[in-house]
Amino acid sequence: MATTLTPILTKFWDDPQSWTLETYERNEGYQALKKALAMAPADLVQMTKDSGLRGRGGAGFPTGMKWGFLPPPDGGPRYLVVNADESEPGTCKDIPLMMAAPQFLIEGCVITSYAIGCNHAFIYLRGEVVHVYRRLLRAVEEAYAAGHLGKNIHGSGFDLDITVHAGAGAYICGEETALLDSLEGRRGQPRLKPPFPAVAGLYARPTVVNNVESIASVPPILLHGADWFSDMGTEKSQGFGIFSLSGHVKRPGQYEAPLGITLRELLDMAGGMRDPNKKLKFWTPGGSSTPLFTDAHLDTPLDFESVAAAGSMLGTRALQIFDETTCVVRAVDRWTDFYKHESCGKCTPCREGTWWLKQILGRLEHGQGSEEDLEKLLDICDNILGRSFCALGDGATSPITSSIQYFREEYLEHLSHGGCPFDRRDSTLFAKDRVTA
């Protein structure tokens, strides 16, 4: 079992100017690119398959296999699109990575583009993070000036341009086909599949869509070897990942560790719970769209298979930690607010279902309604799960069904109490006397 951190993508985040090209090149930056340009593109794809790298955006699909789905070259363009639309509550690993060390992503884009035969790559960024947008633009500018981008990169005959595109701030654009529609100038809504992006993606051309962390992991893998990467993690979930701890912990932040580490180990590294006298109550293993875990899951290995076997999803490894001062009903109600607001409206189960979920949860939070409302919630979730147009509808049901599974009595307590039995000020990170109701 893993007990130590593996600072690779986070290795020099504490450098006074970690985001600059100079700092990156002092830390093995662009050595992998020079190695890649001397290899055959097919060998790069095979190396990525051999490493066992799985998508770091949530689904965990093998990255090299996704690259291999592209049809043979036909003389037309093909594209790489980086999904940097990190918008889910609790998920906060790609934004700090692009802020602290954007050149990892840019070098990864160049290597990946060379491997798949792409001459124009796009980074689709969440529009609200203007500071990250500016930093990425500057990083791309530096890479062009150094000859890592543009025409005839390092005399290899390979050309690549990178466009950084800021979206308008829609959660749905984290879904890859909605992202492609938005990038093309249309309203961000998921497409019917097939055809899949590998066959007809951006501008109806073969396209690879990968998460920021997936692409940023490519240079270290190439530099140190597929075996180096696959030796970390577990048998089926190889490598390292950034685990984002937030909430009721002493030292919230980014912890880069091998997959398979447990929350108990990460909590020790984070200094434990904010208040050692308050027990861990519930937590999310992969962001708010994954089923909740409780303190009974502290020793569940955080890898794709183990988390799935325990009834949740590893997702984006966004570990939101809540102690016993938190009302689970209120937390789920707030998350459902988000999903209702962010539903793109394309399909009826999600558009109508999330609205009704919010109405019922709002009633329960205020001690109104009846026990039958719990069954109604589960029935609506059942009519959304597997029936919505994309996985984002499914994700909206996860915190509700899991919270009723583990905390049904707390829902009923709201009814018998005539409202929320918790003092919401207790769960804040501020001193109680400074918070007004």
Side-chain angles (χ1 to χ4, degrees), residues 1 45 57-58 89 99 121 129 141 155 180 182 216 243 253 285 325-326 346-347 358-359 370 380 385 388 390 421 430:
M1 188 58 64
V45 176
M99 193 68 183
V129 286
E141 209 174 75
L180 294 176
S182 174
F243 294 81
T325 61
T326 311
K346 183 164 186 171
C347 70
K358 172 57 193 169
Q359 303 309 303
S370 67
I380 295 171
L385 185 64
S388 59
C390 76
F430 308 103

Side-chain angles (χ1 to χ4, degrees), residues 64 92 100 128 133 138 304 332 344 387 408 410 437:
C92 53
E128 292 97 332
Y133 180 55
R138 177 64 185 140
F304 293 104
V332 172
C344 77
R387 293 174 173 84
R408 189 182 190 95
E410 192 165 306

Side-chain angles (χ1 to χ4, degrees), residues 48 61 71 84 94 123 126 180 289 294 327 366 368 391 402:
T48 309
F61 192 83
D94 295 337
I123 300 172
R126 175 180 168 184
L180 294 176
S289 66
T294 67
C327 171
H366 290 94
Q368 300 161 3
S402 57

Side-chain angles (χ1 to χ4, degrees), residues 291-292 297 310-311 378 399-408 411:
L292 302 178
H297 301 94
L378 294 174
I400 296 172
T401 52
S402 57
S403 64
I404 293 175
Q405 175 188 350
Y406 294 121
F407 299 101
R408 189 182 190 95
Y411 279 88

Side-chain angles (χ1 to χ4, degrees), residues 81 173 175-186 191 197 200-202 207 209:
V81 176
C173 290
E175 196 280 335
E176 63 178 15
T177 60
L179 183 157
L180 294 176
D181 263 20
S182 174
L183 193 51
E184 290 177 1
R186 291 195 289 276
R191 299 176 180 177
L202 186 65
T207 304
V209 184

Side-chain angles (χ1 to χ4, degrees), residues 236-291:
K236 293 183 179 177
S237 298
Q238 289 106 324
F240 54 85
I242 299 174
F243 294 81
S244 308
L245 266 71
S246 63
H248 294 151
V249 292
K250 280 193 177 167
R251 291 192 296 272
Q254 311 299 330
Y255 294 82
E256 193 173 14
L259 299 187
I261 197 168
T262 65
L263 178 61
R264 189 183 299 276
E265 292 166 328
L266 286 167
L267 271 179
D268 284 344
M269 296 175 195
M273 298 296 288
R274 151 190 89 156
D275 182 346
N277 298 316
K278 298 284 192 285
K279 282 174 37 182
L280 171 67
K281 182 175 179 179
F282 64 97
W283 55 287
T284 65
S288 62
S289 66
T290 56

